[in-house]
Amino acid sequence: MIVLVVAWAAFPGLFAPADPIAGNAAVALSPPSAGHLFGTDATGRDVFSRVVHGAIHSLSGALLAVTVGLIVGSTLGIVAGSAPRVLDDVIMRVVDVLLAIPSLLLSLSVIILLGFGTLQAALAVGVASIAAFARLARSEVVRVRRSDYVEAAFGSGATFFSVLLRHVLPNSTTAVLALAALQFGTAILAISTLGFLGYGAPPPTPEWGLMVAEGRDYLATAWWLTTLPGLVVVAVVLSANRISALIGRHQ
């Protein structure tokens, strides 16, 4: 599923040649058929084409969000796990404050400061995920630092930075990568949520959350407008969670 959605994002025209923006009023609100796999919306736009062309917005936004959380959060966690106790306490108290704030509320607070749009939504979701990466990275660094081979490396005269680079970091990345895969799916869901609430890409951008929001007024007469894009979001999130589970299993 992930490979398929990535292919949608990279080559949308191969899978859905119809224009995702232009509509045809003559076929408005047509149910799913051979000509329109996901049906059409109220303006006659092909829903499947909009889902396919919207993949780039959701995937690129999720990738940016995970990158921000991974880099900033892991850096804070590594510093906290390796630094003296005072600095560790300061960093982790800040992380605790971030963890105490619901992620959606924190994302909304950030996006209100940055403004509306896909990029701003991705950055907001990334900021909300920093605390999770920081806490996990710190716990992994602390765990590895207490291992016998790390103590042996220090006993053989290795410097702090050489032990950190050669032993601690390589053996602390698996769990963080598993969290990154999990956060990728969570980021797609969060970005779609912000788009649904109107804080993401503006209309008529084919963004998944926005598509679900646009179709909610037609639930009784055109169920496919919300159900089918929503099922795509669910499938991608579950696939990302499955990848995370596989990475964690091989830890």
Side-chain angles (χ1 to χ4, degrees):
M1 185 65 199
I2 295 296
V3 171
L4 176 61
V5 174
V6 169
W8 285 357
F11 310 103
L14 295 179
F15 298 91
D19 192 328
I21 305 298
N24 182 2
V27 295
L29 296 179
S30 298
S33 62
H36 302 283
L37 294 180
F38 284 9
T40 61
D41 62 11
T43 60
R45 296 174 297 191
D46 185 76
V47 176
F48 180 71
S49 293
R50 288 179 60 77
V51 169
V52 171
H53 287 265
I56 184 62
H57 300 286
S58 296
L59 293 189
S60 60
L63 182 60
L64 176 59
V66 172
T67 301
V68 171
L70 178 64
I71 294 177
V72 179
S74 296
T75 301
L76 290 175
I78 292 170
V79 171
S82 307
R85 181 63 180 271
V86 175
L87 183 57
D88 179 20
D89 288 341
V90 171
I91 293 176
M92 297 316 296
R93 293 302 75 76
V94 174
V95 170
D96 289 341
V97 171
L98 293 177
L99 288 173
I101 304 174
S103 58
L104 180 58
L105 178 60
L106 182 58
S107 297
L108 289 174
S109 301
V110 174
I111 201 172
I112 288 173
L113 294 175
L114 298 178
F116 301 164
T118 302
L119 176 61
Q120 291 84 347
L123 292 175
V125 173
V127 170
S129 67
I130 287 175
F133 280 104
R135 179 163 289 280
L136 180 61
R138 177 192 177 276
S139 65
E140 288 296 300
V141 169
V142 171
R143 178 185 63 83
V144 175
R145 283 189 63 186
R146 295 172 178 172
S147 302
D148 292 338
Y149 60 87
V150 173
E151 297 293 337
F154 279 119
S156 64
T159 63
F160 172 80
F161 288 104
S162 65
V163 172
L164 182 66
L165 295 176
R166 295 184 59 186
H167 300 288
V168 176
L169 294 184
N171 290 284
S172 305
T173 57
T174 304
V176 177
L177 291 178
L179 178 61
L182 181 64
Q183 286 292 330
F184 183 79
T186 303
I188 290 178
L189 188 59
I191 291 172
S192 297
T193 301
L194 292 174
F196 178 85
L197 295 175
Y199 295 103
T205 305
E207 196 275 326
W208 291 346
L210 180 60
M211 292 176 62
V212 175
E214 291 175 339
R216 61 184 169 179
D217 294 332
Y218 302 92
L219 282 174
T221 57
W223 56 268
W224 56 88
L225 296 182
T226 55
T227 302
L228 298 181
L231 288 176
V232 171
V233 174
V234 171
V236 174
V237 172
L238 292 178
S239 299
N241 292 353
R242 178 61 176 167
I243 293 174
S244 173
L246 293 175
I247 295 175
R249 184 181 301 174
H250 290 84
Q251 183 177 358

